Amino acid sequence: SSGRATAAGALERAMDELLHRAVPAMPAYGLREKTPAPAENQCADFVSFYGGLAEAAERAELLGRLARGFGVDHGQVAEQSAAVLQLLQQPREAAVLLQAEDRLRYALVPRYRSLFHHISKLDGGVRFLVQLRADLLEAQALKLMEGPHVREMNGVLKSMFSEWFSSGFLNLERVTWRSPCEMLQKISEAEAVHPVKSWADMRRRVGPYRRCYFFSHCSTPGEPLIILHVALTSEIASSIQTIVVKESPASETEERDRITTAVLYSLSLTQQGLQGVELGAFLIKRVVKELQKEFPHLGTFASLSPIPGFTKWLLGLLKSKAKDHGRNELLTDSECKEISKITGGPVNETLKTFLSSSEWVQSEQLVRALQAPLMRLCAWYLYGEKHRGYALNPVANFHLQNGAVMWRINWMADVSPKGIMGSCGLMVNYRYVLEDTATNRTTYLSSKSIKASEQVLSLVAQFQKNSKL
Amino acid sequence: SSGRATAAGALERAMDELLHRAVPAMPAYGLREKTPAPAENQCADFVSFYGGLAEAAERAELLGRLARGFGVDHGQVAEQSAAVLQLLQQPREAAVLLQAEDRLRYALVPRYRSLFHHISKLDGGVRFLVQLRADLLEAQALKLMEGPHVREMNGVLKSMFSEWFSSGFLNLERVTWRSPCEMLQKISEAEAVHPVKSWADMRRRVGPYRRCYFFSHCSTPGEPLIILHVALTSEIASSIQTIVVKESPASETEERDRITTAVLYSLSLTQQGLQGVELGAFLIKRVVKELQKEFPHLGTFASLSPIPGFTKWLLGLLKSKAKDHGRNELLTDSECKEISKITGGPVNETLKTFLSSSEWVQSEQLVRALQAPLMRLCAWYLYGEKHRGYALNPVANFHLQNGAVMWRINWMADVSPKGIMGSCGLMVNYRYVLEDTATNRTTYLSSKSIKASEQVLSLVAQFQKNSKL
Amino acid sequence: SSGRATAAGALERAMDELLHRAVPAMPAYGLREKTPAPAENQCADFVSFYGGLAEAAERAELLGRLARGFGVDHGQVAEQSAAVLQLLQQPREAAVLLQAEDRLRYALVPRYRSLFHHISKLDGGVRFLVQLRADLLEAQALKLMEGPHVREMNGVLKSMFSEWFSSGFLNLERVTWRSPCEMLQKISEAEAVHPVKSWADMRRRVGPYRRCYFFSHCSTPGEPLIILHVALTSEIASSIQTIVVKESPASETEERDRITTAVLYSLSLTQQGLQGVELGAFLIKRVVKELQKEFPHLGTFASLSPIPGFTKWLLGLLKSKAKDHGRNELLTDSECKEISKITGGPVNETLKTFLSSSEWVQSEQLVRALQAPLMRLCAWYLYGEKHRGYALNPVANFHLQNGAVMWRINWMADVSPKGIMGSCGLMVNYRYVLEDTATNRTTYLSSKSIKASEQVLSLVAQFQKNSKL
Amino acid sequence: SSGRATAAGALERAMDELLHRAVPAMPAYGLREKTPAPAENQCADFVSFYGGLAEAAERAELLGRLARGFGVDHGQVAEQSAAVLQLLQQPREAAVLLQAEDRLRYALVPRYRSLFHHISKLDGGVRFLVQLRADLLEAQALKLMEGPHVREMNGVLKSMFSEWFSSGFLNLERVTWRSPCEMLQKISEAEAVHPVKSWADMRRRVGPYRRCYFFSHCSTPGEPLIILHVALTSEIASSIQTIVVKESPASETEERDRITTAVLYSLSLTQQGLQGVELGAFLIKRVVKELQKEFPHLGTFASLSPIPGFTKWLLGLLKSKAKDHGRNELLTDSECKEISKITGGPVNETLKTFLSSSEWVQSEQLVRALQAPLMRLCAWYLYGEKHRGYALNPVANFHLQNGAVMWRINWMADVSPKGIMGSCGLMVNYRYVLEDTATNRTTYLSSKSIKASEQVLSLVAQFQKNSKL
């Protein structure tokens, strides 16, 4: 293990050496436009060194060193801040003040930003940086790295990506069965929400009454960044199984008259490094426009969305309630009685056991007995549970931020094991009433109040009447 | 005229009203990620208002108001600077300092940057901003607007463009006679250095032994941003007329063995709004790579460049010398004598008259008599005349910054009227010795010393011996 | 000249030698499917030998030798005819008869057909054959070659082309300003009816309110075989100058509501070797369909056609009349008087002189005086002059065969020198009333009767009343 | 059943009515160029009527009626034959004779050819005719239709296809994983020789060290007519399982130096209607050229081919031998003894039983014992068994006609059930020595002698020594 320590020491020294070699020095303000760009191989060195690190922890270590050791020069910031402050106190001509502010602005740029900027110019450089940020986010999630410097670096990358992946540079592409196999394979592998089972399944999802779109960056056409699947139907779908597993349609030709509704049933980001770059909302907007062009009479737009975290939240509740009171306050007495009758055990324990597997759906009686309580609990979870004032459930928060209405909670909407385990088979529609989305969006973001349909509000009311938290 | 004043007043009021409506407010730091983007039509309003201003002066007025009225909030800057300073004086944990710096960074962003950012997301938005900056540069040149705020706005736009037009997002496209007519028309109209005279001329420039490349942004393929014309030859060309006006080649097929040299004979930026965004140097690099791929044995790369400003500089010299001493110290006595013999008048006056038109090239005697003095004067102009330490001549400065060598000054190299009038028919080759360009570039940028060939240095020495400034 | 004769003799010997080498032998009927194809270079030899013949006369000589020396083996035909005849007289089973007929069919195939068939498989082979037939047609026209064998060879080629250039294998392509320059150059050079004067003129013809389509063979996309130019207007145009020389349209955008009429104003075959292969009629049909798809409300289709040969026919008439009677019977007395008054000379001579140049259009008086007689003479020329019962004028015959109606003769419709010289400035519209074309076509082809409008019939009646042939 | 007869009668009447309506009348010779084409819907009627016939027998009935009722007018043929004969007996000028021959040629064209010609001009018409011929061939194979008229019609279609699918009109396309899914699905479904098991299998066949090419007609790009699969190896493969089922290659990048040999391992015609149109030989030629361009040092070309019919032929032999003599003369005494020892039964019966299933490969002993006799029997089957003098085995005949050498018979080369059942696991390489193929081809076609390697000849000699037929 001393050998191991030595090896680690050697790696760390190699990292420091690399960083000193690869990160360009910050030229003096006056020379910033006359300083030649670093040689290409200087930045390429960083890329290949990083690529050679097999372990997530090693990569995290390198990024941490970069973030901490090559950030802002606080001494410079102090000096320039003081200069600005002085000028503001003794007013001088604007030119002097504006230049002082520009010097300050320059001092506030972390030194590693310049490394990223130069990497972005290499072949495949932008892709590398997106992957780097994905690593960084994963390392944060795994607690491999922490701290304000890392958060700052994340912010710098995100803001660079916001410029590069601006909507003006995104191409909307449609996927069909005539698209390259390679592309369909990517689409299939990227499908995170409702996994693709076979090529026949994939073919169905790009066939008649279906649309599959993605955004690619204009510099890498054909490479999906974020993907949206849509079903064209005659009403807002209440079950994912009618969309993704139903047999082939009777005809390859769409009867345009029967298409009145677009159900957005899956949205997958393929590059985790692009989290927070607002691609999803833009993609929905663009696809809505595209569909309106293709089907001028299409009027209804809604998602059919999963409710990730619902079962977990519910199990947590059941556990804490159990500890607190020894009895279940989430269900009414009659509900408790009925469940006991079916299962023959104490409600709380029984429920915890049941919700931990997907077998309960096999029992018609249980399914019937659980519908009312789970529906109202789910409504509360979506509508009432908050994080910093906004909806706790991330999918809900996403659609509400886009201006959608929380429209309808659907029972037995996803009966796949994943659906039953993750959210008791429940799914929810968020509806986009196009003329209201701007208002909804502003209301939600400013006052944090959620616009919901009568069904949802009525379920919430039932929860408030019958359950206690 | 009071009516006119009223109209002007009305326009100014309309401008202020527009700006208050269109420029998004700066959200508080804490809300910056939760604030909905402004409605699309808010920014579109600005675009259409601006587009409706027919006069350059009106556009300049609007931009000036935007720059002055919607820039940085100096109060905020003062407050955040003070906070940062205080933290730096009483060290606290890094998280607090980094956040304070981030607040300061945020306060230093001019409010109009957000307008530009949102415009960039509109269809055609980036193009609009490039044109806006072109207007801004032109207005500065025409003194329609001045001042530090305008310079700051120019800097903001340039830095945004540097991200958007980063080399990773540029596509190299080759133009041939099979390219769309529309594209060839654009190429033809954009040719600023050696104007295209006819479609046959254009066809020649994209035909055998010629290459024409351009960069387009990946979001607008087919739209040239900057264009480079190359002639494939067996030696470094010393005359532009052998390249652009010679009759059609004997054969449509290139004899690859005869191609040893690439002469870059024209580089034109089509969008003035992209000045300073480093497209030219990148384009030369990419084209050199492309040509090396096509012709692995191609070894010599050089420009054949104009010398804009030489005649003007020389006329200026002649005038000032005339005032100072009444006699010409730029020429030797024997040169003066010979010229007097030919023209029969006082050398200084004669020269001023001659250089103001292009007729002198008709006289073989004069052409012979002027060769030696004009060659050495030109060498000095290119090599010895400086601006802030760098070459005064902008074309020279460009190629030297790219790491080229000042290679050869060519007599009677451009005998078109434009060539004779602009630079006494002289042109110059800058040679790119690929293995040296990185070193040359750094040397020039850091020590400002110019690498030149023996021919150039010898002409400079002759100047120093025979002419007095 | 004996040297010359020797040279000619050598060439002829070389031709014979080539033909014996290159033209595949005719395998015996039983072996026809088991005989290997000739080596590729055997046929390629013919192609390169032919390509090396610089003189039309030499090429004609070679084709003549091929036609006469490598046609049908009459002995074989006799033998197989006799066998068939005998079988028909003494009925045997069908299998025997059908095979005998197949042998006879095989005997009737000229030997050179096999050469053509194999050439068609070479790269560029079909193109070569099309050019070969163009040479053959030109040589016939120039009387460089004559006789039944050559006519037979022409028929063989035409029938092969009819299979290869069948409408199923033709692609309709539209030309715009975004099409390759190379293609627009071809289109421009091919324009036989109203020559293109400049690139601006060309741009106009592919710009707004204009359409330019062509057929290419699917094996050579982008290569125009036959080209149709269309103007989109609000009424049937009566003058070509409003179509091809008018300045640019006010706007680049078409007002779709103003487009009610498609005027087909130019149809050019680019490959003379494809004469008689029915491309023109197909192209008009396809373009009409295409336009109906783009403009569902477009209802009127008409050509604006030249009247080649009218002036020549008229001059011929004037000469023969002059010889016969010494006076002009084509004009009425009052017409003669008026013309004499204007020109001051004998009508017949004056007219001959005037019609031989284009100056008469400068005189307003003459233009007025000649309108009535030339209009009715032209109507007669188009309607009354026949060749084997069909319209003598080839353009008229073409449109009538397609089912068009002879619609309107237009005075001062083409005032270009070519238009004045060729047809006294007259042009004619043939109108396609889509629901009637099939009937019109059958009527014209079977009963040879021409469907014409009242204007045309009334002019014909005036001719019959006032002029004598 | 009288109802059924009536229905059949009604269908037959409908057929006759259709044919009289749809098949264009044959215009008189003199009018053949002046007769308008039949209306489009006249031919389209035939297409839709035919398409509506669900039963193969019904389609065969219609085609039979067309072939018998609308063929050649024998009376006309008699008349024109007589005319030609007379002219040939009393020589007149060539023009008269040639025209008489042309009339005769015209009389020999079956009337239905004109129907086919016009159908070919409809959208999808050529495809329809190819399918029609596929039906016709199938109906002949199933004895649903017979007779000389049907054979004649087949010949007419084949000769039309020979013109339309001439190599000048075929595009070579390469299939990769970037090709459209739709295309890969077609390729996969068309693979007749070694069925594709999964998408991973398909991906392997278009991945590194593999090539997949097809011909499409230029009018229907992307639609495979005939497909060739190639493996790029370092030696002539002796087993198909090394090619189609091996796991993924170590790397996605091909090491070009290791590629010396191209093994053509599958050739599939997708349209049975194109049988006999010589696509296969052309495709091999084109692919060889293509590979030589990509890999200039690639020197060895060979097929790895199935031996369809071998087991069946062998079983037939065993049966007839059994009948004749009661003992096996195909094997030597020692071979018989060894097999008896292993199986414990009479050799002949045992063999028949074993060869009827694929289980024998499970026994190592049997595999060893059978190798020598099956190899020599197979060599004889391929080399010695003939049909009209040419190789009986159709795959052998195909490659020998193309000029290949019968190169190597491989034991245990296809151990899939299909391979074992069809040809006892044997496969054969036909090698293309490019400089010899032309000679080989001519030799085979003219003298019917097969060029084979020493291995094959030695096996044949062993057969002649040890087996008796």
Side-chain angles (χ1 to χ4, degrees), chain B residues 11 15 48-60 135 138:
Chain B
L11 182 59
M15 284 182 180
S48 74
F49 188 100
Y50 185 88
L53 297 176
E55 303 287 327
E58 291 168 355
R59 292 195 299 268
D135 289 353
E138 198 194 5

Side-chain angles (χ1 to χ4, degrees), chain B residues 111-250:
Chain B
R111 188 172 150 194
Y112 53 70
R113 193 188 189 287
S114 165
L115 174 67
F116 295 158
H117 180 73
H118 289 298
I119 286 176
S120 80
K121 299 183 174 186
L122 300 178
D123 245 16
V126 170
R127 200 176 321 190
F128 171 83
L129 292 171
V130 170
Q131 185 52 47
L132 184 148
R133 182 165 176 248
D135 289 353
L136 191 154
L137 292 171
E138 198 194 5
Q140 284 183 306
L142 298 172
K143 311 275 181 204
L144 291 174
M145 59 198 303
E146 281 179 300
H149 294 93
V150 170
R151 282 199 301 277
E152 183 179 69
M153 189 192 265
N154 182 28
V156 166
L157 285 166
K158 189 177 139 188
S159 112
M160 294 177 94
F161 294 174
S162 291
E163 293 299 330
W164 296 337
F165 292 89
S166 168
S167 59
F169 303 151
L170 299 176
N171 292 334
L172 185 70
E173 302 192 35
R174 181 175 165 196
V175 185
T176 72
W177 194 237
R178 294 180 173 232
S179 302
C181 263
E182 190 177 53
M183 182 188 289
L184 277 146
Q185 192 186 17
K186 280 182 199 163
I187 298 286
S188 170
E189 288 168 1
E191 173 55 57
V193 192
H194 306 290
V196 176
K197 295 197 191 69
S198 65
W199 281 90
D201 182 1
M202 190 67 233
R203 188 178 182 186
R204 183 78 186 82
R205 297 191 196 192
V206 297
Y209 298 108
R210 296 292 179 273
R211 291 292 181 278
C212 174
Y213 293 99
F214 65 84
F215 268 151
S216 62
H217 191 269
C218 60
S219 65
T220 50
E223 290 196 15
L225 301 173
I226 182 164
I227 305 160
L228 179 60
H229 289 270
V230 182
L232 302 172
T233 62
S234 49
E235 54 180 22
I236 298 180
S238 59
S239 152
I240 190 66
Q241 271 76 33
T242 63
I243 294 175
V244 299
V245 294
K246 224 176 74 178
E247 66 291 346
S248 277

Side-chain angles (χ1 to χ4, degrees), chain C residues 284-442:
Chain C
I284 290 178
K285 262 195 201 171
R286 277 296 314 274
V287 165
V288 164
K289 271 191 202 164
E290 197 71 16
L291 290 171
Q292 286 180 316
K293 222 184 331 175
E294 193 182 350
F295 301 97
H297 300 303
L298 185 63
T300 308
F301 295 88
S303 77
L304 178 60
S305 301
I307 309 168
F310 171 57
T311 306
K312 202 173 158 197
W313 169 83
L314 190 53
L315 284 170
L317 263 195
L318 289 170
K319 274 178 207 154
S320 68
K321 290 289 156 191
K323 253 182 283 168
D324 292 359
H325 306 275
R327 56 182 287 271
N328 189 314
E329 293 186 311
L330 299 171
L331 307 188
T332 62
D333 288 349
S334 69
E335 286 165 355
C336 286
K337 223 176 282 174
E338 194 178 347
I339 293 170
S340 289
K341 208 170 69 189
I342 301 170
T343 64
V347 170
N348 228 346
E349 284 314 302
T350 308
L351 270 183
K352 275 193 283 178
T353 310
F354 273 115
L355 296 183
S356 302
S357 91
S358 62
E359 276 166 44
W360 60 273
V361 277
Q362 309 302 332
S363 153
E364 269 184 52
Q365 284 179 307
L366 259 179
V367 166
R368 212 165 26 237
L370 286 170
Q371 177 167 5
L374 286 180
M375 289 282 278
R376 73 174 183 261
L377 282 159
C378 183
W380 178 255
Y381 168 69
L382 290 173
Y383 185 87
E385 290 287 342
K386 299 289 172 65
H387 172 69
R388 298 196 188 165
Y390 297 105
L392 170 70
N393 181 272
V395 178
N397 188 41
F398 169 77
H399 288 291
L400 295 169
Q401 281 202 9
N402 294 340
V405 177
M406 194 175 279
W407 186 254
R408 192 176 67 205
I409 295 170
N410 303 291
W411 181 241
M412 290 296 108
D414 180 1
V415 295
S416 74
K418 193 181 170 221
I420 298 295
M421 292 290 287
S423 53
C424 306
L426 287 156
M427 296 188 82
V428 57
N429 304 116
Y430 301 98
R431 180 164 178 184
Y432 287 80
V433 182
L434 302 182
E435 55 275 28
D436 297 344
T437 49
T439 318
N440 293 347
R441 169 177 169 65
T442 307

Side-chain angles (χ1 to χ4, degrees), chain C residues 33-34 37 74 85 101 105 108 113 117 121 152 158 163-164 167 169 217-219 401 441 445, chain D residues 33-34 37 74 85 101 105 108 113 117 121 158 163-164 167 169 217-219 401 441 445:
Chain C
E33 305 219 313
K34 286 293 176 195
H74 302 301
L85 264 184
E101 284 178 349
R105 202 182 277 126
L108 282 162
R113 193 187 189 287
H117 180 73
K121 298 183 172 185
E152 182 180 69
K158 189 177 138 189
E163 292 299 328
W164 296 337
S167 59
F169 303 152
H217 191 269
C218 60
S219 65
Q401 281 202 9
R441 169 177 169 65
L445 286 167
Chain D
E33 305 218 313
K34 287 293 178 197
H74 303 300
L85 265 183
E101 285 179 348
R105 203 181 278 126
L108 282 162
R113 194 187 188 288
H117 180 74
K121 299 183 174 185
K158 190 177 138 188
E163 293 298 329
W164 296 337
S167 59
F169 303 152
H217 191 268
C218 59
S219 65
Q401 281 202 7
R441 170 178 168 67
L445 286 167

